[in-house]
Amino acid sequence: MSPSPGVPSPEALEARIAELRASVRRAMARGDRAAARTLRAELRRAEDAWDDAVLGEGPAQPAEADDEPAADRPAAERRAAERAVTGRGAERERGLVPVREQVHQALTLLSVPAAPKLIGSVYAAFFPGEIAGSRLTSLRRDEERSFRTSPYSRPYYLCAALTADMLAPARGLITVSTWPLEQRVVGPLSARTDFLTAALRIAEHAGRGGASPSPAVQRLLWRFAANIPGTTGGSVGTVEPAALAEAAAAELEVHRAADGGQRREAAERALSRLDDAERLFGSRLRAMRTAAATGTNGPAGPPGAVPGASVRGSASPASAQPAAPARIRPAGTP
């Protein structure tokens, strides 16, 4: 059935929806939340138009019990609720969560760059199931390959933390692409501040609800408390979440300002010098020669030397000084 005059075709609406989704993710990557909300509202209107063009006005699907009648809720909210209910049911039937979603849940709780071992411990303590360590080996590489193949096609990417000095990928630290750039940069003080922030977040999460922490959560709290003074006054292996949170917050105030300044400065450099992929996965290191070769064959001579001329004071060509070694610099540096 051909669309009515002036009404976009389903194909045009699908292309518009894909374009708007990519625009929303680019706006979030830049940290422009106002633009992201505007684009998201436009995306909802395009999705509603696609539903009207393809599905037409169909009978309302049953939804979960709610204070507001389903007929009074907007169509987009009804569809979102139906998708959420369906997704939860399918997840319960499978009993499995994709590994990238497991990592995302653990990192969201921590809110700081973290190593795979800590991510696995946090997920095992607070969520059902475990993260297989072998699955994390190639996860970041697969995420980078997916982004370079189809940029911003996913709601989020698990990417690398960036070193503040060279803007290169930090070894063994995973972050989330939707975090602000300065939150994904690590400097000289970031290891301690991130440790304290993670301890604070875990203690706050463990103390919610008033229930006693599980043995797995207690082991995790003790690991953090052993490296924070003033938190291990009780029996060995047990920590009060409130005491850990208070001690971590007190020490965090000492380092927060200095570490935040270093991170902001590095984030500004990354925004001005790196492209979209490098802001997520780090700059690629390139080799440079400090001295240019004077010809196609033979070593380079001293400054101002004539190509092919012998070096004064050397008995043979073998005694001439070799070319200077390669020097490594990050992409985008002058």
Side-chain angles (χ1 to χ4, degrees):
M1 182 177 64
S2 61
S4 303
V7 178
S9 64
E11 291 77 10
L13 290 170
E14 289 170 1
R16 179 61 176 161
I17 289 171
E19 179 184 353
L20 286 170
R21 285 175 177 169
S23 299
V24 170
R25 290 163 191 153
R26 282 194 292 268
M28 289 300 298
R30 295 193 306 268
D32 191 352
R33 295 183 177 274
R37 285 192 291 268
T38 302
L39 291 167
R40 180 57 185 154
E42 188 175 351
L43 174 60
R44 292 193 188 97
R45 290 192 292 271
E47 290 173 341
D48 291 341
W50 185 91
D51 287 346
D52 293 339
V54 176
L55 303 178
E57 293 295 334
Q61 298 293 330
E64 291 182 319
D66 201 344
D67 295 336
E68 182 181 2
D72 296 338
R73 298 162 63 187
E77 293 183 5
R78 290 201 305 272
R79 285 194 301 274
E82 292 162 8
R83 286 196 298 267
V85 173
T86 304
R88 287 196 297 268
E91 183 177 311
R92 284 194 296 268
E93 292 176 1
R94 293 195 306 268
L96 296 173
V97 178
V99 63
R100 68 187 305 269
E101 292 187 17
Q102 292 176 320
V103 175
H104 182 260
Q105 290 173 351
L107 285 173
T108 301
L109 191 153
L110 290 169
S111 75
V112 293
K117 185 176 181 180
L118 176 59
I119 293 172
S121 300
V122 170
Y123 190 87
F126 291 102
F127 302 95
E130 296 181 354
I131 300 178
S134 59
R135 302 286 300 276
L136 297 177
T137 305
S138 60
L139 178 62
R140 199 172 67 182
R141 184 169 60 250
D142 295 341
E143 293 285 291
E144 181 175 3
R145 186 183 301 114
S146 173
F147 182 86
R148 294 184 181 275
T149 302
S150 180
Y152 299 106
S153 61
R154 294 178 175 179
Y156 64 86
Y157 292 86
L158 301 176
C159 53
L162 306 184
T163 58
D165 52 354
M166 304 184 73
L167 302 179
R171 183 176 179 84
L173 292 179
I174 304 176
T175 66
V176 183
S177 62
T178 55
W179 292 355
L181 188 53
E182 65 184 58
Q183 190 176 349
R184 295 188 283 109
V185 173
V186 291
L189 298 175
S190 298
R192 187 60 180 173
T193 56
D194 287 349
F195 178 85
L196 295 169
T197 302
L200 178 61
R201 295 275 297 176
I202 289 174
E204 290 176 345
H205 197 76
R208 290 173 184 170
S212 178
S214 66
V217 174
Q218 275 290 356
R219 287 193 297 270
L220 187 61
L221 292 172
W222 179 259
R223 284 172 52 188
F224 281 92
N227 293 280
I228 301 176
T231 58
T232 57
S235 59
V236 176
T238 61
V239 179
E240 286 296 329
L244 177 60
E246 183 179 357
E251 186 179 347
L252 186 60
E253 288 300 319
V254 178
H255 308 292
R256 191 195 303 271
D259 180 60
Q262 294 170 350
R263 285 180 156 179
R264 283 190 294 273
E265 188 274 335
E268 291 172 0
R269 284 192 289 113
L271 287 172
S272 62
R273 298 179 182 181
L274 303 183
D275 59 25
D276 287 357
E278 290 176 333
R279 290 171 191 169
L280 297 181
F281 302 98
S283 64
R284 298 178 180 274
L285 300 179
R286 302 189 181 101
M288 288 184 58
R289 287 289 178 183
T290 58
T294 57
T296 55
N297 296 317
V306 179
S310 61
V311 180
R312 184 179 180 181
S314 58
S316 64
S319 63
Q321 295 182 354
R327 189 173 60 182
I328 302 299
R329 73 169 178 88
T333 57

